[in-house]
Amino acid sequence: LIIEAMAQAGGLLAYESGPADKHGQLIYFMGMDKVRFRKPVVPGDQLIFEARILKLRTKVAKIAGTAFVDDQLVAEAELMASFGENK
């Protein structure tokens, strides 16, 4: 669930960072690399996500995501997303 939430945040960043002609297109989650869980997260913890664009191409974005609880790194991953075509 942590990686899913991180991917959602990264998808929003890719959408907003992409060119205006891509707005309105769907974004598809493609994959993840370098996933690491550093500390346990328990119910009641507040997760704070940070995402930054590593590469932004015409059809693909690569995003670095991190998750923190009380300023402690609990998870990190590199995520890939693809801009799709509306039908």
Side-chain angles (χ1 to χ4, degrees), residues 2-66:
I2 295 169
I3 299 302
E4 169 66 25
M6 193 182 297
Q8 293 285 339
L12 283 172
L13 177 63
Y15 181 84
E16 290 297 324
S17 299
D21 66 332
K22 297 289 183 190
H23 286 202
Q25 289 187 344
L26 298 174
I27 295 182
Y28 297 99
F29 179 66
M30 290 176 47
M32 56 192 157
D33 289 322
K34 301 180 184 173
V35 177
R36 298 286 181 262
F37 295 98
R38 302 293 182 186
K39 294 185 184 282
V41 177
V42 297
D45 285 346
Q46 181 182 19
L47 281 167
I48 305 295
F49 293 101
E50 292 182 2
R52 64 183 166 88
I53 301 288
L54 297 175
K55 290 182 184 176
L56 186 59
R57 306 276 187 217
T58 305
K59 295 216 178 229
V60 178
K62 188 170 189 177
I63 300 129
T66 52

